[in-house]
Amino acid sequence: IMQLPVVYQKAKEQVFKIWTTLQPLLTVHVGLASSAKALIILEQCGKNKGYQEMDACGLHPEGGCCMLDGPEKIESTINMKSLWKNISVEGIDIIFSRDAGRYICDYTYYTSLYYGNGRAAFIHVPPLSKSVTAEFLGKALQTIILEMLKQCGKEREAQHKDNSLSVE
């Protein structure tokens, strides 16, 4: 677990470090959606352009862009729509989204999708409250992430079968 700063460049450096040093199967990012009261949002893709809002240091990325040579958007290898349709957590609504918001969350997500070849996920969560406690949110995230890992396992099995078929 690593907390990323609300600073574009530092967040980008940390995400790069995660992918180059830890080389994870999947990176799951969790960000605060202060406008969502009791809602978890599963984000499908990250967008490359449109970052004009200033970060905590009063800066925004050059050209309002994550990666100057990057594609317009990158989709997660995790099928968030399928996850959203097949999962439920009692006491909180879960929705599917294709727009993480063009601020540090979306920027971080795009960067992670870029460096991780799509093997990243982003979950927006509501602020903690009487109805959404840290323990409750932790259990909800655990349920969601376990389902993501199942998808990763199925994808790896399919790749292994494809590789073994091509070898024979």
Side-chain angles (χ1 to χ4, degrees):
I1 296 175
M2 182 184 299
Q3 184 172 349
L4 299 177
V6 185
V7 178
Y8 292 108
Q9 190 57 39
K10 287 189 167 124
K12 186 181 207 174
E13 289 166 8
Q14 292 280 38
V15 168
F16 177 76
K17 197 170 164 183
I18 289 168
W19 284 106
T20 55
T21 59
L22 301 175
Q23 299 177 342
L25 171 65
L26 175 71
T27 299
V28 179
H29 302 275
V30 179
L32 180 65
S34 52
S35 60
K37 296 297 176 225
L39 193 62
I40 292 175
I41 306 168
L42 305 176
E43 304 290 354
Q44 183 61 58
C45 56
K47 306 278 184 0
N48 191 19
K49 296 179 178 149
Y51 298 92
Q52 300 304 325
E53 196 169 336
M54 302 295 184
D55 63 17
C57 291
L59 302 170
H60 61 80
E62 180 186 342
C65 189
C66 293
M67 302 287 176
L68 295 173
D69 62 340
E72 186 62 36
K73 72 176 179 196
I74 304 175
E75 302 271 339
S76 175
T77 58
I78 298 294
N79 185 331
M80 295 295 204
K81 194 170 223 173
S82 171
L83 186 67
W84 163 67
K85 285 180 178 177
N86 296 308
I87 199 166
S88 71
V89 176
E90 193 174 324
I92 194 159
D93 288 329
I94 300 173
I95 64 168
F96 167 80
S97 167
R98 297 189 61 80
D99 187 354
R102 302 302 191 299
Y103 191 48
I104 301 295
C105 292
D106 202 355
Y107 185 86
T108 299
Y109 190 26
Y110 181 92
T111 302
S112 194
L113 289 164
Y114 182 88
Y115 289 130
N117 296 311
R119 295 185 334 257
F122 199 99
I123 306 167
H124 265 120
V125 297
L128 297 178
S129 64
K130 286 182 181 175
S131 62
V132 181
T133 64
E135 182 181 6
F136 173 80
L137 197 52
K139 286 180 180 173
L141 287 170
Q142 183 179 25
T143 299
I144 293 166
I145 292 168
L146 285 172
E147 288 302 313
M148 289 178 178
L149 291 172
K150 284 181 190 173
Q151 276 191 27
C152 288
K154 288 177 186 167
E155 182 183 301
R156 289 181 81 189
E157 284 174 26
Q159 286 174 346
H160 181 70
K161 283 180 186 173
D162 287 348
N163 289 340
S164 62
L165 289 173
S166 62
V167 173
E168 293 176 17

